[in-house]
Amino acid sequence: MTEKTVTITNNVDGTSHEYPLHEGTIGPPAVDISALYRDAGFFTYDPGFMATASCHSAITYIDGEHGVLLYRGYPIEQLATKASFLEVAYLLLYGELPNERELVSFERVITQHTMLNENLKNFLDGFHYDAHPMAILCGVVGSLSAFYHESIDVNDPHYREISAHRLIAKVPTIAAAAYKHNIGEPIMYPRNDLRYGANFLYMMFATPCEDYEPGLLAEKALNLLFILHADHEQNASTSTVRLAGSSGANPFACVAAGIASLWGPAHGGANEAVLDMLTQIGDVSSVPKFIDKAKDKDDPFRLMGFGHRVYKNYDPRAKIIREVCHQVLEEMPGADNPLFELALELEEIALHDEYFVERKLYPNVDFYSGIIYSALGIPRNMFTVMFAVARTVGWVSHWTEMMSDPGNRIGRPRQIYCGPEPRDYVPISKR
Ligand code: SDX
């Protein structure tokens, strides 16, 4: 079968060059322009990477027009209601759903890695009590490479796998420790008899003074939220992890870079910003005023939790979370949350407003997730940490996929230079 190609013609000098068209399993093909500069002497320009594929990946597929999200081919709607989070973590990392034996073995391996080196408690004590938990998470995860010298041999598949397991296992422990540091309570050690989500809730809410057993509804809601946030193709934080990893940096430093990128309010930081926005709006009667602010080009205010670079339809994760909100708020004692009613009203008004309809701006994964986190007793400054706990699975899966590819090269974009022409140094006496 003849190779499919695309011809690029330079209308300035009339030259044309052909470039191969790469096709995936599903989704749009991509023209391979890696030889363009050598052939034609110019770069492509795509700030924000609106139409640029950075890699081949078999992990996650998104169809933004139709609101489709697949993890290794499985629809998110099925995984969210049928699988456990570690089952999905295994799927993302290894490419197939585990059988019973594989899942038990994987759960045991992750459980065995949940404890932290005792010296990390000194690191945590170095943070002021009111340090943002994302700052603590970013710093402590990046410091893990100081404890596992052998694991930073990124060319050894054995150490790549152990590092992936350590990160999946230890990020929840660090996250819960950051929360305990914030509230001045003692850090709770992980319990090997608890499942992943229940263990996280235990480390967050237990104290040495009394028994604590995580509630089944809370564990179920957390399991679902972790699955929904586990991966999302080449989003900003995952692309950050890949770019950092392309230089051969150790996996702990790469995931710390991903955490830093996720923290931004345009990305994972939006879930915390949504609750702040809903609190600021306060009442349904103020919604029109804030909708107008979101539409005003001179006003930096945006409707947080709305819009998406890829989804030009309802984010399938937001749909699922909205449904779970109803269930959790009905079943959790005292979790009656006026902010959820406000969010529903805000969504209803925005989705009928021409500005949002025209720009295909729908609620995204961050719009409702904070409502559930609040109902579970998780404070706002921990919302993006929750996102990072789940997304660690996606980050280590993409890092592993990239590092296992013998064709992997350092990522090094070019630019359009718009600085000064060459000029000579001027002595300070003449400036
Ligand atoms: C996540 O990439 C991923 O997959 C991310 C994520 C993941 O799982 O990893 O899905 C998680 O990060 C979800 C997004 C969370 N962020 C927010 O909710 C912040 C609010 N949303 C926006 O900042 C924005 O929608 C982005 C950042 C999400 C997407 O930005 P784009 O793709 O660069 O779109 P844009 O800024 O070019 O907006 C297009 C138009 C503009 O208006 P015009 O210039 O055409 O007139 O839509 C407007 C924007 O002003 N717009 C909004 C808006 N989002 C876009 N206007 C008001 N409120 C908004 N939220």
Side-chain angles (χ1 to χ4, degrees), residues 10 90 126 128 152 220 239 251 337 339 349 416:
N10 179 347
Y90 184 99
H128 205 257
I152 51 184
K220 188 164 165 274
S239 296
N337 194 320
L339 292 182
I349 294 170
I416 298 175

Side-chain angles (χ1 to χ4, degrees), residues 215-404:
L216 273 177
L217 176 68
E219 183 189 356
K220 188 164 165 274
L222 205 53
N223 182 71
L224 179 125
L225 286 170
F226 281 163
I227 289 172
L228 295 176
H229 286 82
D231 192 53
H232 214 237
E233 199 212 65
Q234 303 308 319
N235 58 84
S237 54
T238 301
S239 296
T240 300
V241 170
R242 279 180 172 262
L243 193 55
S246 72
S247 73
N250 75 72
F252 306 103
C254 296
V255 168
I259 292 168
S261 170
L262 183 74
W263 195 1
H267 191 10
N271 56 16
E272 182 178 348
V274 166
L275 265 290
D276 293 341
M277 174 186 74
L278 292 173
T279 306
Q280 190 188 5
I281 294 173
D283 182 82
V284 175
S285 60
S286 304
V287 165
K289 181 177 75 174
F290 281 87
I291 293 270
D292 290 341
K293 278 171 63 70
K295 292 153 61 171
D296 178 357
K297 289 302 164 212
D298 297 326
D299 189 326
F301 176 81
R302 284 199 159 179
L303 217 49
M304 300 315 281
F306 256 75
H308 198 277
R309 169 60 56 75
V310 177
Y311 288 125
K312 301 309 170 191
N313 199 320
Y314 215 104
D315 184 332
R317 302 167 296 176
K319 264 187 201 162
I320 296 167
I321 294 175
R322 185 177 59 178
E323 283 318 304
V324 174
C325 274
H326 283 293
Q327 294 162 19
V328 167
L329 293 177
E330 273 162 25
E331 294 174 34
M332 296 287 276
D336 168 39
N337 194 320
L339 292 182
F340 179 47
E341 298 309 321
L342 183 56
L344 290 170
E345 283 291 327
L346 179 57
E347 175 191 345
E348 181 64 20
I349 294 170
L351 290 185
H352 289 88
D353 183 292
E354 189 46 38
Y355 173 92
F356 293 90
V357 173
E358 195 178 279
R359 292 167 177 79
K360 298 183 178 179
L361 302 175
Y362 292 86
N364 58 50
V365 67
D366 293 312
F367 190 63
Y368 286 109
S369 55
I371 303 283
I372 299 181
Y373 290 140
S374 291
L376 299 181
I378 293 165
R380 272 180 214 176
N381 68 357
M382 282 290 291
F383 288 3
T384 310
V385 171
M386 302 301 289
F387 198 145
V389 168
R391 189 53 57 90
T392 294
V393 167
W395 290 331
V396 299
S397 300
H398 280 272
W399 177 79
T400 302
E401 181 180 64
M402 177 183 72
M403 297 309 290
S404 313

